[in-house]
């Protein structure tokens, strides 16, 4: 068993509220939501963070953004923010690449 909690969700070793899944990715509700809607989109491929990707991940990275669009279309989420925290100083706590979809409230800019 891996100690990567997101791999455990991918492998259905621990439960998650899964909203979308395909061969490449899976999306589920964040366990500690920071907005009324807070969804995580993750690749099934083990990737620690955005900065460890390379050109071979081009299709995968595009796929993840299109999954964001698929989910926001499906749930009729019009205004939303997509966040990738890269590295602990940027707020990354789980070292498996993930996109946050946040919606349902206003967001400040610049972010905190
Ligand atoms: P990060 O801070 O790494 O960008 O985001 C990690 C996110 O994963 C956090 O928003 C956190 O609430 C969420 N998270 C951590 N553990 C779990 C879990 O076991 N299940 C779910 N659904 N979300 C988790």
């Amino acid at each position: 068993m891996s100690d990567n909690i997101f791999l455990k969700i991918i492998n259905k070793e621990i439960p998650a509220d899964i909203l979308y899944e395909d061969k490449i990715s899976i999306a589920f509700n964040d366990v500690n939501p920071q907005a009324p809607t807070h969804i995580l989109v993750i690749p099934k491929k083990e990737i620690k963070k955005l900065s460890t990707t390379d050109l071979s991940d081009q299709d995968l990275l595009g796929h993840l953004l299109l999954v964001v669009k698929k989910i926001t279309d499906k749930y009729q989420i019009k205004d939303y923010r997509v966040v990738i925290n890269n590295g602990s100083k940027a707020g990354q706590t789980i070292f498996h690449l993930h996109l946050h979809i946040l919606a349902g409230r206003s967001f400040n800019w610049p972010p905190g």
Side-chain angles (χ1 to χ4, degrees):
M1 291 240 295
S2 167
D3 57 3
N4 174 341
I5 198 109
F6 287 176
L7 276 186
K8 288 182 181 172
I9 289 174
I10 292 165
N11 294 327
K12 312 284 163 52
E13 291 165 7
I14 63 164
D17 190 6
I18 295 169
L19 304 176
Y20 176 85
E21 182 168 11
D22 59 30
K23 276 189 198 164
I24 296 167
S25 66
I26 186 165
F28 48 89
N29 283 319
D30 196 293
V31 79
N32 181 24
Q34 301 302 311
T37 297
H38 189 170
I39 300 164
L40 301 172
V41 179
I42 71 173
K44 291 185 173 175
K45 179 180 173 185
E46 205 169 349
I47 296 175
K48 286 198 189 324
K49 50 185 178 173
L50 185 62
S51 59
T52 64
T53 61
D54 60 30
L55 200 53
S56 70
D57 297 308
Q58 180 165 287
D59 289 350
L60 170 63
L61 293 172
H63 182 88
L64 296 176
L65 283 176
L66 288 173
V67 168
V68 170
K69 176 167 164 45
K70 221 174 245 186
I71 291 169
T72 51
D73 282 352
K74 180 177 177 188
Y75 293 98
Q76 296 182 316
I77 303 167
K78 289 193 176 132
D79 292 350
Y80 54 88
R81 183 170 286 183
V82 178
V83 173
I84 297 174
N85 295 323
N86 186 84
S88 45
K89 280 188 193 158
Q92 187 174 8
T93 57
I94 305 286
F95 285 82
H96 183 106
L97 177 64
H98 50 283
L99 284 66
H100 298 257
I101 306 173
L102 296 147
R105 66 170 173 84
S106 298
F107 297 100
N108 295 327
W109 192 261

